[in-house]
């Protein structure tokens, strides 16, 4: 097994990590398909209000690639189709029934070649969970990837522990990897702490990555193992999608239940719950958050997720819901002068650095404040300290801000995604919304070059 040590990065020590206990199974009354959560998909409706749907019934398809479908994770009735300005499709809300009827006539995953396998994944709706590089969008089923990447661990703060979530699903993970391996060479990345059940996978290339966050990001694995050049495509498949594919391969039925980590400093009892994908976030955090102050509920991870409310619906790509304080009640007089014994610092500026050395497991209470406004983008070398890829992150960001496509191509824009710059955004003293810059630049490149 090839072992790669990641030296640049940063572990952000946030309190409230989910304890390894599964508390309940949540069956939300409503689920919703939100097109904006499927980046790069040009959505077109396949149903109308009042339609009865089964598990696996197509709800949306891509205008540019009609074979690419988003399907219903539950059995029920289409309650409403919500549109915004210029009739933009915002969401399709489905009222869940207690039945578990599967859509008839779904294909088998006992396919013989790559083309048949991709067609089956599209028909079953699993391909909507697969992203591609370049551009970090839903994978184009018409373009064959040169490789597929799967990460069996997540190093982000408050992230779900994959050993706990997937240990019992090792057989499904193996079956899912077998399906993916028919399409292209599959790279499977593990950590030193990954349990034996998830390490010993066959038919794929297993590599071990160790070190601080973002050692678990697939972007880091791509950069070290098989970088993306112009004209090439690789796929990235999240671990829970591999499990979904494996469940179907083993049972012939679609089971969209996920194990979600509910974590953060403002969660009363950080834990794991089982829930249907795309369920209402309020059903997940209900009665488990401190409602006596203004809170920030995050749909996904604290670094890459989106601000949400109880009425919003879980992203299909999220395996956690994090809750932190907004911090709008905090007033600090001369805060910049304080020694800061209880505040995390990415540099050696605060006295808390000493306590971090003496007590490595010490955690901190974070809130949503930026503690400053956006200012001139200074080339300080901050990004390089937390960006473990063979790319110049500050120069690439400046090329993205100025929409210089030639420079973006030269500096490695084809193999990055917004999540790769999450730590850069965290440490940025210029308060640049780096992930937003990267997302908009990748969308611009795709529009101009495809």
């Amino acid at each position: 097994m090839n072992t790669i040590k990641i030296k640049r990065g940063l572990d952000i020590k946030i309190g409230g990590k989910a304890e390894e206990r599964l508390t309940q199974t949540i069956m939300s009354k409503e689920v919703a398909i939100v097109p904006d959560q499927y980046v790069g998909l040009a959505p077109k409706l396949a149903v109308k209000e009042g339609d009865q749907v089964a598990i696996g019934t197509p709800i949306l398809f891509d205008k540019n690639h009609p074979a690419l479908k988003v399907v219903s994770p539950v059995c029920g009735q289409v309650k409403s189709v919500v549109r915004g300005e210029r009739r933009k499709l915002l969401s399709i809300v489905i009222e869940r029934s207690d039945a578990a009827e599967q859509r008839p006539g779904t294909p088998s995953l006992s396919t013989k070649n790559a083309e048949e396998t991709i067609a089956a994944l599209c028909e079953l709706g699993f391909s909507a969970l697969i992203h591609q590089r370049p551009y970090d969008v839903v994978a184009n089923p018409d373009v064959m990837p040169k490789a597929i990447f799967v990460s069996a661990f997540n190093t982000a703060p408050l992230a779900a522990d994959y050993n706990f979530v997937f240990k019992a699903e090792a057989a499904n993970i193996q079956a899912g990897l077998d399906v993916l391996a028919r399409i292209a060479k599959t790279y499977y990345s593990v950590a030193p702490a990954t349990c034996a059940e998830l390490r010993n996978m066959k038919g794929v290339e297993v590599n071990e990555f160790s070190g601080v966050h973002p050692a678990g990001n697939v972007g880091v694995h791509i950069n070290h193992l098989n970088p993306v050049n112009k004209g090439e495509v690789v796929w990235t498949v999240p671990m829970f999608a591999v499990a979904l594919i494996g469940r179907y391969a083993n049972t012939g039925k679609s089971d969209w239940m996920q194990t979600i980590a509910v974590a953060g400093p403002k969660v009363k009892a950080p834990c794991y719950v089982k829930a249907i994908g795309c369920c209402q976030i309020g059903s997940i955090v209900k009665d488990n958050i401190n409602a006596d102050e203004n809170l920030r509920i995050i749909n996904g991870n604290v670094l890459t997720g989106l601000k949400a409310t109880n009425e919003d619906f879980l992203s299909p790509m999220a395996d956690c819901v994090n809750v932190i304080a907004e911090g709008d009640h905090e007033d600090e007089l001369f805060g910049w002068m304080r020694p800061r014994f209880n505040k995390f610092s990415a540099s050696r500026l605060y006295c808390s650095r000493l306590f971090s050395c003496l007590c490595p497991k010490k955690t901190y209470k974070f809130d949503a404040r930026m503690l400053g406004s956006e200012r001139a983008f200074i080339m300080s070398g901050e990004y390089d300290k937390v960006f473990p890829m063979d790319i110049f992150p500050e120069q690439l960001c400046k090329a993205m801000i100025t929409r210089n496509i030639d420079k973006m191509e030269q500096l490695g824009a084809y193999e990055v995604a917004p999540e790769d710059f999450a730590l850069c955004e965290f440490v940025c003293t210029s308060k640049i919304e780096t992930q937003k810059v990267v997302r908009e630049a990748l969308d611009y490149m795709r529009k101009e070059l495809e």
Side-chain angles (χ1 to χ4, degrees):
M1 183 185 296
N2 185 25
T3 301
I4 298 170
K5 171 70 175 178
I6 301 300
K7 297 181 179 180
R8 286 181 291 172
L10 179 67
D11 281 335
I12 304 173
K13 301 173 181 179
I14 305 178
K17 186 174 177 63
E19 298 178 7
E20 293 187 2
R21 57 190 180 90
L22 189 64
T23 59
Q24 59 182 318
T25 298
I26 296 170
M27 303 299 290
S28 175
K29 292 182 180 180
E30 295 178 351
V31 302
I33 306 298
V34 181
D36 283 351
Q37 294 175 345
Y38 299 88
V39 182
L41 192 78
K44 190 168 183 179
L45 267 176
V47 294
K48 61 181 182 297
E49 288 185 10
D51 282 359
Q52 295 291 330
V53 296
I55 299 173
T57 299
I59 303 298
L60 299 174
F61 63 90
D62 188 6
K63 294 178 184 177
N64 302 319
H65 308 96
L68 184 58
K69 298 178 176 68
V70 178
V71 303
S72 172
V74 298
C75 186
Q77 183 181 44
V78 178
K79 180 179 178 180
S80 61
V81 176
V82 183
R83 295 185 181 271
E85 294 183 3
R86 298 185 178 182
R87 293 187 57 76
K88 178 184 177 181
L89 193 57
L90 299 181
S91 64
I92 301 93
V93 180
I94 302 169
E95 189 171 3
R96 183 184 62 82
S97 69
D98 293 331
E101 181 184 351
Q102 297 275 330
R103 174 192 169 202
T106 52
S108 168
L109 283 177
S110 301
T111 48
K112 297 180 179 179
N113 56 49
E115 290 78 10
E116 290 179 358
T117 302
I118 292 173
L121 292 176
C122 287
E123 188 64 26
L124 293 165
F126 298 138
S127 58
L129 303 174
I130 300 173
H131 276 208
Q132 69 169 47
R133 309 274 174 107
Y135 313 127
D136 189 39
V137 294
V138 175
N140 182 351
D142 298 332
V143 178
M144 194 67 65
K146 70 168 183 174
I148 298 174
F149 287 82
V150 178
S151 178
F153 67 110
N154 193 341
T155 52
L158 301 181
D161 184 346
Y162 285 3
N163 284 345
F164 176 76
V165 174
F166 297 111
K167 183 177 180 179
E169 291 207 73
N172 292 332
I173 297 294
Q174 180 63 73
L177 292 173
D178 290 341
V179 172
L180 296 174
R182 298 189 203 121
I183 299 173
K185 180 177 181 178
T186 301
Y187 294 88
Y188 181 73
S189 302
V190 299
T194 300
C195 62
E197 289 85 351
L198 296 179
R199 290 176 71 91
N200 303 322
M201 295 296 161
K202 300 177 181 179
V204 295
E205 181 177 313
V206 182
N207 296 278
E208 182 180 272
F209 285 79
S210 64
V212 295
H213 184 63
N217 282 11
V218 285
V220 175
H221 308 162
I222 293 170
N223 184 262
H224 282 80
L225 299 174
N226 197 340
V228 183
N229 300 308
K230 187 174 183 179
E232 297 177 337
V233 171
V234 300
W235 286 2
T236 63
V237 187
M239 192 69 163
F240 76 89
V242 178
L244 293 178
I245 294 169
R247 285 179 210 163
Y248 186 88
N250 285 333
T251 66
K253 295 182 178 180
S254 294
D255 180 2
W256 294 82
M257 290 293 290
Q258 295 177 230
T259 301
I260 307 296
V262 185
K266 293 302 176 180
V267 176
K268 293 178 181 178
C271 61
Y272 290 84
V273 299
K274 275 194 175 295
I276 291 286
C278 304
C279 69
Q280 204 161 35
I281 289 178
S283 65
I284 295 177
V285 300
K286 182 180 179 182
D287 301 327
N288 198 19
I289 58 177
N290 298 310
D292 57 343
E293 61 181 296
N294 198 10
L295 302 179
R296 174 73 63 91
I297 299 174
I298 303 170
N299 189 350
N301 184 262
V302 286
L303 288 179
T304 60
L306 297 175
K307 181 179 179 180
T309 66
N310 287 325
E311 289 71 39
D312 289 329
F313 294 88
L314 185 70
S315 167
M317 305 303 294
D319 58 8
C320 63
V321 174
N322 294 162
V323 186
I324 62 176
E326 281 286 358
D328 50 4
H329 64 288
E330 298 283 350
D331 292 314
E332 296 180 316
L333 182 63
F334 300 116
W336 53 274
M337 294 179 60
R338 296 185 179 186
R340 301 292 191 182
F341 292 103
N342 291 304
K343 192 173 183 65
F344 179 83
S345 174
S347 65
R348 299 177 185 271
L349 181 63
Y350 297 155
C351 292
S352 59
R353 177 75 180 188
L354 174 63
F355 291 99
S356 296
C357 295
L358 297 176
C359 304
K361 295 184 179 181
K362 179 178 174 59
T363 59
Y364 301 85
K365 292 182 180 181
F366 282 73
D367 55 45
R369 291 177 296 162
M370 291 184 64
L371 301 177
S373 58
E374 189 171 323
R375 61 207 74 169
F377 192 171
I378 305 300
M379 303 285 280
S380 61
E382 292 174 309
Y383 288 11
D384 294 302
K385 296 177 183 178
V386 297
F387 195 83
M389 298 167 67
D390 189 19
I391 288 174
F392 296 111
E394 292 180 341
Q395 289 85 342
L396 177 55
C397 282
K398 285 208 166 186
M400 287 179 163
I401 291 171
T402 58
R403 297 292 190 268
N404 188 330
I405 291 180
D406 290 338
K407 280 288 185 183
M408 285 191 271
E409 289 181 331
Q410 295 168 12
L411 290 168
Y414 285 122
E415 61 183 274
V416 299
E419 70 173 8
D420 298 322
F421 288 81
L423 280 178
C424 298
E425 184 175 302
F426 178 80
V427 303
C428 183
T429 53
S430 296
K431 309 297 179 183
I432 303 296
E433 294 184 78
T434 317
Q435 293 183 81
K436 181 180 178 182
V437 167
V438 175
R439 179 70 272 158
E440 291 177 349
L442 293 177
D443 291 342
Y444 176 77
M445 287 184 71
R446 184 172 178 236
K447 179 181 177 182
E448 294 295 318
L449 298 177
E450 286 193 348

